[in-house]
Amino acid sequence: MTHDTPEPAIVLVRPQMGENIGASARAMFNFGLSHMRVVAPRDGWPNERAVALASGAGRVLDRAGVVGTVADAIRDCTYVFATTGRGRGLTKPIVSPERAMAQARAIHAGGGKVAVLFGPERAGLENEDVALANAIISVPVNPDFPSINLAQCVLLTAYEWRRAGVEVPPEVMELARTDFASGLEVEKLGDHFEERLEAAGFFFPETKAGHMRVSLRNMWARLALTRADVQTLHGVLRQMVRWKERG
């Protein structure tokens, strides 16, 4: 699921209609994007309706990676945007598509890898999905009619990627030179913390444990951790366990 061209991965999370997958592929290819990843498509894969709607952009579908979870889709990524038009109760930076794609250009220029998550047509991304992202992309739509078709949302993002060109804001370049942790590295750190917190009885009461876990995952993603940060936190956890065992 790797590609040579430095561009963001467009991740369609649990899409429901093949037509929207195909139209998204066409929107991507219109603006020079070809890295699609599809998470648990409702109607299976490959999808004939997706091919029909791609109309000349079939190569995007041919190269698409199909995975079972959002975590699998972003494991090689160092920065993840989630597109959502609803308040989530999760503390994250909120940026416009224009700003997001300028940041994406800078991150790729520094050797990183960006992904953009798009939710299913009916209700969008779940909180568990958004918690894995570093930032949220929000479009200034009509508040009386905020719902945007999946392919239209992909098109807005792809257009801003194309428009950003090679111009990278200098204030973002400092961020781009940072060696960010990948999605897999952050996931493993979260697993380590949950393991230690579970042993310490932190997830109590049981009725609130699920929300507590989502909040922790959201915190790790929001921090935009570097590889050094991740290694330091793993070391902290290991040392705390050694200290307890010595005591």
Side-chain angles (χ1 to χ4, degrees), residues 79 81 93 95-109 114 135 161 164 168-169 172 175-176:
Y79 203 88
F81 293 99
V95 296
S96 67
E98 178 182 17
R99 178 61 173 166
M101 291 302 97
Q103 289 179 322
R105 289 273 184 185
I107 291 168
H108 278 276
V114 171
W161 168 262
V168 179
V172 185
L175 188 66

Side-chain angles (χ1 to χ4, degrees), residues 168-195:
V168 179
E171 72 273 15
V172 185
M173 285 302 292
E174 287 298 321
L175 188 66
R177 284 196 289 269
T178 301
D179 188 17
F180 286 115
S182 69
L184 177 59
E185 289 165 333
V186 175
E187 178 186 357
K188 295 301 182 185
L189 175 65
D191 292 343
H192 193 179
F193 258 89
E194 287 189 13
E195 176 187 343

Side-chain angles (χ1 to χ4, degrees), residues 42-117:
R42 183 190 66 181
D43 296 335
W45 196 264
N47 187 298
E48 293 182 359
R49 289 177 293 177
V51 174
L53 264 290
S55 184
R59 69 192 74 184
V60 176
L61 300 180
D62 292 340
R63 300 176 66 187
V66 181
V67 296
T69 68
V70 173
D72 289 336
I74 63 174
R75 284 191 170 192
D76 63 334
C77 299
T78 57
Y79 203 88
V80 179
F81 293 99
T83 60
T84 177
R86 297 187 286 119
R88 299 294 184 154
L90 299 173
T91 304
K92 288 188 184 295
I94 300 176
V95 296
S96 67
E98 178 182 17
R99 178 61 173 166
M101 291 302 97
Q103 289 179 322
R105 289 273 184 185
I107 291 168
H108 278 276
K113 175 67 179 175
V114 171
V116 186
L117 307 180

Side-chain angles (χ1 to χ4, degrees), residues 13 15 30 34 57 68 81 84 88 95-96 110 122 137 181 187 194-197 204 211 219-220 232:
V13 180
N30 279 150
S34 61
F81 293 99
T84 177
R88 299 294 184 154
V95 296
S96 67
R122 176 173 294 181
I137 295 177
E187 178 186 357
E194 287 189 13
E195 176 187 343
R196 299 306 183 199
L197 291 172
F204 181 85
H211 175 72
M219 181 176 68
W220 302 133
T232 297

Side-chain angles (χ1 to χ4, degrees), residues 104-160:
R105 289 273 184 185
I107 291 168
H108 278 276
K113 175 67 179 175
V114 171
V116 186
L117 307 180
F118 298 85
E121 295 89 326
R122 176 173 294 181
L125 295 167
E126 299 290 340
N127 268 20
E128 288 79 2
D129 305 320
V130 179
L132 299 178
N134 300 96
I136 289 172
I137 295 177
S138 181
V139 180
V141 296
N142 177 1
D144 295 327
F145 191 63
S147 179
I148 302 178
N149 173 268
L150 172 59
Q152 291 174 329
C153 193
V154 171
L155 186 143
L156 279 171
T157 304
Y159 166 73
E160 292 296 351

